[in-house]
Amino acid sequence: QVQVVESGGGLAQAGGSLRLSCAASGSFRSIFAMGWYRQAPGKQRESVAFISSGGHTNYRDYVKGRFTISMNNAENTVALQMNSLKPEDTAVYYCNVRVYRGLGGPYDYWGQGTQVTVSS
């Protein structure tokens, strides 16, 4: 089994910053990529950013230039530094981990979600 645990989040004012962290543990051979998704009330879950184990990053346009994703391969952790926050960034943020297990994969695992609220 694979456990994904998020931390961080909370309340910030528009223009402020927050940092999310996520740690993967359990039984897996290696990590293919880690990333963040978010879901606002009444909306579908959407991707925010991801980073591969090789360091390749990808950001959605609505966070590009404001959010930075980073990964610590040795500790199996990923962080999302969120700057210049906007009220529309308000959502539950989910960590996604893609891992190889045994001879198969990659397989997706999700954290429980952490609330980010940005006030205007």
Side-chain angles (χ1 to χ4, degrees):
Q1 193 56 281
V2 177
Q3 293 78 44
V4 180
V5 179
E6 301 131 336
S7 61
L11 177 65
Q13 291 188 329
S17 299
L18 287 172
R19 183 177 179 87
L20 305 181
S21 297
C22 171
S25 62
S27 177
F28 53 88
R29 182 159 49 88
S30 62
I31 292 178
F32 173 70
M34 301 180 81
W36 293 92
Y37 288 70
R38 69 187 185 186
Q39 187 167 19
K43 295 187 176 181
Q44 289 189 331
R45 189 174 297 188
E46 61 184 14
S47 63
V48 174
F50 75 80
I51 182 168
S52 71
S53 59
H56 173 78
T57 59
N58 184 276
Y59 299 92
R60 296 301 299 269
D61 285 345
Y62 37 78
V63 304
K64 203 172 289 185
R66 300 188 297 122
F67 291 10
T68 302
I69 191 169
S70 59
M71 184 173 173
N72 185 320
N73 293 60
E75 297 183 355
N76 296 328
T77 59
V78 64
L80 185 68
Q81 179 65 40
M82 305 184 292
N83 298 328
S84 302
L85 284 164
K86 304 176 181 180
E88 50 264 43
D89 294 319
T90 296
V92 177
Y93 284 69
Y94 296 90
C95 178
N96 170 264
V97 180
R98 295 196 130 188
V99 303
Y100 292 100
R101 300 187 69 197
L103 300 179
Y107 303 106
D108 283 318
Y109 292 87
W110 296 87
Q112 77 284 358
T114 185
Q115 178 69 46
V116 170
T117 302
V118 183
S119 62
S120 58

